[in-house]
Amino acid sequence: MLWYTGKRILQMIPVFFGATFLIYFMVFALPGDPIAALYGDRPPTEAVLEQVRARYNLDQPFIVQYLLYIGGIFTGDFGTTFSGRPVSDVMAAAFPITFRLAMLALLFEAFFGILVGFVAGLRKGKWFDNSALVVSLLLISVPTFVIGFIAQYLFGVQWGIVRPTVSGDANWNELILPAFVLASVSFAYIVRLTRASVSDNLSADFVRTATAKGLSRRRVVTVHVLRNSLVPVVTFLGVDLGSLMVGAIVTEGIFIIKGVGGTG
Amino acid sequence: MSAIAFMAVGAVALTGCAGGNEEESSSSGDASAIVTTNGSEPQNPLITTNTTETGGGKIATSLFAGLVSYDADGAIQNEVAESIESDDATNWTVTLEEGWEFTNGEAVTSQSFVDSWNYGAKLSNAQSASYFFDDIVGYNAEADSELTGIKVIDDTHFTVELAAPEADWPLRLGYTAYMPWPSVALEDITAFGENPIGNGPYMLAEEGAWDHEVGIDLVTNPDYDGVRKPANGGLNIVFYTDLDAAYADVQSGNLDVLDAVPDSAFSTYQDDFPESAVNQPAAIFQGFNMPYYLEHWSGEEGKLRRAALSMSINREEITDVIFQGTRTPATDFTSPVLDGYSDKLKGAEVLEYNPEEAVKLWAEADAISPYTGTFDIAYNSDGGHQAWVDAVINSVVNTLGIEASGKAYPTFAASLADREANALTGGVRAGWQGDYPSLYNFLAPLYLAGAGSNYEDYNSPEFEAKLKEGTKAATVEEATKKYQEAQEILLADLPTIPLWYSNVVGVSADTVDNVTFGWDSVPLYHAITKE
């Protein structure tokens, strides 16, 4: 185990350098001078441009820039934005908000997803099951940003139930609507996963045994069916937290949430 | 013709609106109410000499009062200045009004201006507005230097010697680059950029009122006694990264004033806000340039082709269909909001849609040297330009029957790089937003040989001479006349092919009144009243 852990940690090193180098390289492979573009149609004097380039090490060869950047990271210096704020401060302010949004979304998709999937699985082929399938198909097919704009317009503008955008504090209650939007696609997957799992388990041998032993239907369903059906769902939820944090960028853009997605 | 009609309607609607609201404002409006409005995170710390973009600009002009400020029409009105006088347009004497103070209690003196101007002009400070001081004696773009042309006489008098006469020099003094600083600014410029101390109508609500990426809270400066005395209690400028969200906020009453409308709402904003929707020309000029280094585009042939191109574009139709009337077809090289704008310049008919004449001129050019190859217009695809570039291209194709296409660059930086390297293969999108309301500001930086934004290297001694005559003119009226004549030279040469002026399109919630837009497309915040 120790050997395995050590090996994995050692493997992180090339991955870290590979990833940072590739991203760094790709950003700088974009054509054009980022400093000149800062000033739009109104260029300052060449002397000013040179000074600003020097401030951000942009006058150095590419490889030197990368080494300076990596050196900075190891000494805890992530650089500064053009408005003079340390990048570490920007991320420290933004990250908790994205995390909060992702957690809330995870909570919603787990709770409602399992609930709906469970009921649908128990009543396979009935109207509830069929409508759950249709709704989940819809949610999977429609891109998140469409759902986001529709939700923002209906709840925020048309009915005025919530503010269409989130304030700088991004309190829990403001994040409810965005979290629902963010959770929508995963919610649909969880519904389908739970439903399939529950309906499979209903005809499994251990469930028939439990019923034959004379346990109440309630006990069979909650303890034997549900608990065993949750195994693939929990696995999915674990992986999904990561993709929720990434997917949050689109939702954050629509609702002006000042998370990681808004720091671009 | 209909462009003229449109302008007149705009002007009437504007004055009518302002008149109606003025009566209302005396009875309604809570003097302590905070007005919320949209903005964007300033690109740099809030140092006035380093603030040349709109996000920081609207905050800086609220926090500071310079020698002058601009009214809704772009005319200058004295703020700290009591007078700015000169006999020869070269040596200017500035007299300050007494009694002005920064919000930390320090008096605004001649030194307050000299300090910030010198800081802004000094090369090693790398300020983006440094070139605004290049007309003052002592400015040096190559090495650190003092502005030796500025001499402090006493606390309320100083003189400025310009390198060359400039009759409308005071016009530029309302720009953010010319604001005064308290002495603490130079002691710790970083702290000052984060928590600026000004003398303007508003001040920061508290230390740290600038919540980065979120917004900034300003409250009324009780000691301010200038011409922009606020009728509200303060401003909350919210930084939006997406206009659609800002529009949703103003629709639902969570935002009072929005000074832009997202493309998606162009067709609906007038129905959504029948009372408050504003759509008027702004000080933003847009066109496209044909580089002189391309084959077929120089000399007499190039001149004919440029004119043909200009007359083959149906500006009316494109502004109506693509922009839903949120652009105004161009009739000159400046903007209708400026004093001295004219839609009757000699030769302006080259900007009207005239397919027969276009075909004729194109054929004349072909007689000099037959046109080969295709034609394209370069644009950056990250700026929402594709729709109109395609429309312009279509117009050209349909009229002249040549092969043409839009040429997309992934980013603004990429298109700029090719522009600077003279590596374009066709036309290029060009635009200008005025820094201060002067014809000169729309002409000199773009068309003078060697000027900063003259990327396509237009070079016309006649134009330069006319512009010089304008700067030396004794009166502003005379200068205006010279600038118009200079533009008539441009109309003949067409170094840029004018397309249209961007309009300022804004909406506001029912809770606020007296929302008028200044010449620079920013609302006059101080005049806004809120119930």
Side-chain angles (χ1 to χ4, degrees):
Chain A
M1 189 62 203
L2 200 67
W3 166 240
Y4 178 77
T5 315
K7 214 170 78 178
R8 297 301 299 219
I9 290 178
L10 281 178
Q11 275 177 1
M12 272 175 62
I13 298 173
V15 170
F16 171 79
F17 282 103
T20 50
F21 184 82
L22 270 182
I23 292 172
Y24 208 83
F25 176 77
M26 285 192 284
V27 168
F28 280 84
L30 285 174
D33 175 0
I35 298 297
L38 268 186
Y39 299 93
D41 295 314
R42 200 176 271 92
T45 60
E46 189 50 40
V48 168
L49 282 178
E50 266 166 38
Q51 295 226 12
V52 179
R53 273 189 211 116
R55 191 187 303 156
Y56 296 102
N57 299 323
L58 288 167
D59 53 344
Q60 307 276 1
F62 169 74
I63 196 73
V64 177
Q65 291 182 37
Y66 176 69
L67 291 177
L68 283 169
Y69 165 71
I70 288 292
I73 284 183
F74 279 108
T75 52
D77 173 14
F78 288 83
T80 55
T81 66
F82 285 124
S83 66
R85 285 179 78 206
V87 171
S88 46
D89 283 10
V90 176
M91 292 312 282
F95 198 77
I97 295 178
T98 299
F99 186 71
R100 200 180 300 164
L101 177 66
M103 286 310 291
L104 207 57
L106 194 72
L107 198 77
F108 288 153
E109 68 178 56
F111 181 76
F112 293 103
I114 292 171
L115 189 73
V116 173
F118 181 56
V119 176
L122 290 181
R123 302 181 183 171
K124 206 173 161 189
K126 303 275 170 49
W127 70 267
F128 184 86
D129 178 39
N130 288 334
S131 38
L133 284 177
V134 171
V135 169
S136 61
L137 181 69
L138 264 178
L139 289 178
I140 293 171
S141 335
V142 180
T144 314
F145 72 90
V146 175
I147 299 174
F149 278 124
I150 292 175
Q152 181 182 50
Y153 181 72
L154 289 181
F155 291 96
V157 179
Q158 198 70 18
W159 301 326
I161 301 168
V162 293
R163 265 193 69 156
T165 58
V166 172
S167 73
D169 302 328
N171 297 318
W172 288 99
N173 57 344
E174 293 176 286
L175 290 177
I176 292 175
L177 184 65
F180 265 111
V181 170
L182 179 59
S184 59
V185 174
S186 298
F187 161 79
Y189 281 118
I190 287 179
V191 167
R192 296 192 149 220
L193 206 57
T194 315
R195 174 189 170 275
S197 194
V198 165
S199 77
D200 276 359
N201 282 335
L202 272 177
S203 53
D205 290 343
F206 66 90
V207 173
R208 248 183 295 172
T209 313
T211 318
K213 271 161 65 183
L215 294 180
S216 68
R217 162 113 179 135
R218 181 187 203 86
R219 186 151 172 84
V220 170
V221 164
T222 51
V223 177
H224 294 271
V225 175
L226 181 60
R227 198 185 290 171
N228 285 297
S229 303
L230 286 182
V231 176
V233 177
V234 170
T235 315
F236 177 82
L237 283 175
V239 181
D240 201 41
L241 180 62
S243 52
L244 281 179
M245 305 263 317
V246 176
I249 290 179
V250 174
T251 317
E252 284 174 355
I254 295 168
F255 293 98
I256 314 292
I257 301 167
K258 308 292 179 178
V260 178
T263 54
Chain B
M1 269 318 282
S2 96
I4 300 161
F6 179 87
M7 286 293 313
V9 171
V12 170
L14 195 72
T15 41
C17 186
N21 283 343
E22 259 162 41
E23 291 161 38
E24 225 171 296
S25 71
S26 52
S27 56
S28 71
D30 177 359
S32 64
I34 305 286
V35 174
T36 58
T37 183
N38 68 305
S40 56
E41 169 83 0
Q43 211 173 60
N44 293 299
L46 283 170
I47 296 165
T48 51
T49 51
N50 205 21
T51 299
T52 46
E53 39 80 49
T54 46
K58 61 170 79 164
I59 301 170
T61 40
S62 299
L63 290 174
F64 290 88
L67 292 171
V68 299
S69 63
Y70 305 112
D71 67 10
D73 302 325
I76 53 171
Q77 43 192 1
N78 281 341
E79 286 257 17
V80 181
E82 196 170 279
S83 67
I84 306 167
E85 288 164 334
S86 172
D87 298 330
D88 55 2
T90 306
N91 292 288
W92 294 83
T93 306
V94 178
T95 310
L96 305 184
E97 201 176 77
E98 290 197 42
W100 283 78
E101 273 182 9
F102 291 101
T103 50
N104 65 353
E106 191 180 322
V108 180
T109 64
S110 305
Q111 198 62 41
S112 316
F113 286 94
V114 177
D115 282 350
S116 74
W117 294 13
N118 265 313
Y119 184 91
K122 194 171 170 187
L123 172 67
S124 58
N125 291 329
Q127 301 291 291
S128 60
S130 64
Y131 65 94
F132 277 92
F133 305 100
D134 64 1
D135 49 2
I136 297 174
V137 168
Y139 176 86
N140 188 338
E142 316 277 275
D144 276 357
S145 64
E146 284 282 300
L147 295 175
T148 47
I150 310 182
K151 295 211 168 54
V152 174
I153 299 169
D154 59 38
D155 274 358
T156 53
H157 293 82
F158 67 97
T159 59
V160 179
E161 188 190 341
L162 301 181
E166 209 175 308
D168 61 1
W169 184 72
L171 263 184
R172 57 164 64 200
L173 298 176
Y175 188 64
T176 39
Y178 299 100
M179 299 297 153
W181 291 352
S183 54
V184 290
L186 295 180
E187 287 161 22
D188 186 349
I189 194 78
T190 317
F192 182 68
E194 186 65 29
N195 289 294
I197 295 159
N199 60 332
Y202 296 97
M203 58 187 192
L204 294 186
E206 59 191 353
E207 188 101 339
W210 178 7
D211 189 357
H212 286 274
E213 322 275 346
V214 174
I216 190 164
D217 286 322
L218 309 181
V219 294
T220 311
N221 171 8
D223 298 326
Y224 175 84
D225 197 24
V227 286
R228 291 184 290 158
K229 192 100 184 131
N232 48 53
L235 292 177
N236 175 11
I237 300 178
V238 185
F239 301 154
Y240 285 96
T241 42
D242 181 63
L243 268 184
D244 283 297
Y247 192 74
D249 261 354
V250 73
Q251 269 188 306
S252 60
N254 289 303
L255 183 73
D256 293 329
V257 180
L258 177 62
D259 64 11
V261 162
D263 298 2
S264 58
F266 273 177
S267 54
T268 54
Y269 75 96
Q270 269 158 333
D271 297 326
D272 290 342
F273 297 92
E275 306 279 315
S276 71
V278 170
N279 179 14
Q280 64 190 68
I284 302 169
F285 169 89
Q286 287 173 332
F288 69 97
N289 297 0
M290 294 305 305
Y292 287 88
Y293 52 77
L294 293 176
E295 198 193 346
H296 298 300
W297 292 98
S298 56
E300 187 57 29
E301 184 194 356
K303 208 166 168 172
L304 287 167
R305 292 206 190 280
R306 283 185 180 80
L309 215 50
S310 177
M311 284 193 271
S312 69
I313 299 164
N314 193 340
R315 294 172 179 78
E316 299 275 336
E317 193 175 279
I318 296 173
T319 50
D320 273 356
V321 175
I322 306 279
F323 295 113
Q324 311 271 348
T326 59
R327 300 285 189 282
T328 307
T331 56
D332 78 337
F333 295 82
T334 63
S335 160
V337 299
L338 303 182
D339 264 350
Y341 160 81
S342 165
D343 56 13
K344 298 188 176 55
L345 294 176
K346 197 166 105 251
E349 60 277 0
V350 76
L351 304 181
E352 280 164 29
Y353 181 52
N354 188 346
E356 293 84 31
E357 186 67 14
V359 171
K360 202 179 120 222
L361 291 180
W362 193 263
E364 275 177 38
D366 272 348
I368 299 174
S369 158
Y371 194 74
T372 48
T374 58
F375 168 81
D376 64 50
I377 298 179
Y379 63 97
N380 47 309
S381 54
D382 58 352
H385 301 295
Q386 194 191 350
W388 72 255
V389 170
D390 286 348
V392 167
I393 291 284
N394 272 337
S395 228
V396 171
V397 170
N398 291 340
T399 314
L400 299 178
I402 56 173
E403 259 182 68
S405 63
K407 184 179 173 190
Y409 282 87
T411 59
F412 176 70
S415 64
L416 189 62
D418 267 6
R419 234 184 137 179
E420 286 185 323
N422 285 2
L424 295 169
T425 55
V428 62
R429 177 190 82 78
W432 184 257
Q433 176 162 19
D435 301 307
Y436 51 92
S438 135
L439 297 178
Y440 182 79
N441 181 245
F442 278 80
L443 301 175
L446 292 158
Y447 312 114
L448 271 187
S453 300
N454 185 2
Y455 294 105
E456 277 69 43
D457 295 326
Y458 173 64
N459 188 344
S460 160
E462 298 84 45
F463 171 77
E464 201 165 335
K466 275 280 180 251
L467 216 54
K468 277 247 161 62
E469 284 174 34
T471 54
K472 283 181 197 155
T475 64
V476 175
E477 289 73 32
E478 209 175 302
T480 299
K481 194 161 164 283
K482 294 293 177 196
Y483 294 150
Q484 289 180 348
E485 287 169 20
Q487 285 198 70
E488 286 167 359
I489 297 171
L490 295 183
L491 279 170
D493 290 349
L494 291 176
T496 191
I497 294 166
L499 291 173
W500 40 73
Y501 316 110
S502 274
N503 286 13
V504 49
V505 183
V507 293
S508 48
D510 298 340
T511 43
V512 289
D513 272 316
N514 286 329
V515 182
T516 36
F517 283 78
W519 75 276
D520 58 355
S521 328
V522 176
L524 299 174
Y525 294 126
H526 63 92
I528 299 173
T529 54
K530 187 176 179 181
E531 284 153 29

